[in-house]
Amino acid sequence: MNKYIYFGITIILFLALGANWVIEKAKSSYSLSTIKAVPQFSFFNQDGELVTENNLKGKISIIDFMFTNCPGPCPIMSNNMSELYKDYKKVNQVQFISITVDPDNDNILKLKKYANSYNVTDQRWQFLTSDINKIRDLKQNGFMLYAGELPQAHAIKFILVDQDGYIRKYYDGTDKASMAVLRKDINLLL
């Protein structure tokens, strides 16, 4: 009877080790590929301060393109960005950047008011503006997102940029499930 107990224990240990190996293999196989480096840019934030691609170095950045009087997806995107901003409030290595695609309307004062409406109290979430041609170029050539017919035809993507300034992944900025994946990926980079 003892040999059956030892045999059973051996089988259980073998199965446990196998299961552990499968779990560890699954964890290690998920990675974020590097897409490309964020190009040079020089925009102003809601406080009138200059922000460049160098401000992305050393931090994980979540970037989106939006405009303050958008009647469509922008409020959903901004609400989702606000949730991330709150979730990572104690993590200084994570920052959020929203770039307007309507600079004729979204001047620095309007962006400051918009930031205040989302209770932005620090530099972890910045709202940027520049000349429309520079915004279009950054959006299309820098982040590889459609930039025709701005502001209406803007992308609803959140872009994850790593600490070294490389684009790692795109997410649907209006989708809760996509936001859950983004949180997972932020934590992976942390």
Side-chain angles (χ1 to χ4, degrees):
M1 186 99 153
N2 284 339
K3 70 178 180 178
Y4 293 114
I5 293 173
Y6 290 121
F7 180 73
I9 291 172
T10 303
I11 294 293
I12 290 171
L13 285 173
F14 178 74
L15 291 173
L17 288 173
N20 187 52
W21 180 83
V22 168
I23 290 169
E24 289 303 314
K25 189 74 172 164
K27 279 187 203 174
S28 66
S29 68
Y30 183 81
S31 66
L32 293 166
S33 60
T34 301
I35 298 172
K36 70 177 270 191
V38 172
Q40 292 181 345
F41 69 90
S42 182
F43 292 179
F44 288 97
N45 71 10
Q46 72 270 21
D47 295 319
E49 300 167 340
L50 191 63
V51 176
T52 72
E53 74 284 352
N54 292 325
N55 293 87
L56 305 182
K57 303 280 173 76
K59 294 186 181 274
I60 296 165
S61 303
I62 296 81
I63 300 171
D64 74 336
F65 289 86
M66 47 61 75
F67 61 109
T68 61
N69 63 352
C70 173
C74 295
I76 297 167
M77 293 169 59
S78 292
N79 283 330
N80 286 338
M81 192 75 89
S82 178
E83 289 300 316
L84 290 168
Y85 173 75
K86 292 173 194 169
D87 290 348
Y88 289 92
K89 69 181 173 186
K90 294 184 179 182
V91 185
N92 289 328
Q93 302 98 310
V94 179
Q95 67 181 346
F96 308 91
I97 298 174
S98 294
I99 303 170
T100 184
V101 292
D102 187 12
D104 289 339
N105 180 60
D106 292 341
N107 59 32
I108 290 171
L109 294 175
K110 186 114 180 215
L111 291 175
K112 181 69 170 179
K113 184 177 179 182
Y114 194 74
N116 289 339
S117 74
Y118 283 96
N119 299 313
V120 174
T121 59
D122 55 31
Q123 292 293 308
R124 290 181 310 109
W125 189 2
Q126 298 188 64
F127 295 81
L128 306 184
T129 189
S130 185
D131 171 82
I132 187 64
N133 293 322
K134 290 180 182 177
I135 293 168
R136 182 177 281 115
D137 182 59
L138 180 66
K139 188 170 192 272
Q140 186 165 319
N141 298 319
F143 288 105
M144 301 176 303
L145 296 171
Y146 179 71
E149 303 166 35
L150 295 178
Q152 288 77 18
H154 67 88
I156 58 170
K157 299 294 183 188
F158 282 8
I159 308 149
L160 178 62
V161 176
D162 69 16
Q163 299 95 321
D164 296 319
Y166 287 93
I167 300 168
R168 300 299 287 271
K169 196 169 176 181
Y170 296 86
Y171 309 82
D172 182 337
T174 64
D175 181 64
K176 290 293 184 189
S178 193
M179 292 299 95
V181 174
L182 174 55
R183 282 179 178 85
K184 176 184 171 192
D185 292 345
I186 291 169
N187 294 337
L188 180 67
L189 289 178
L190 285 171

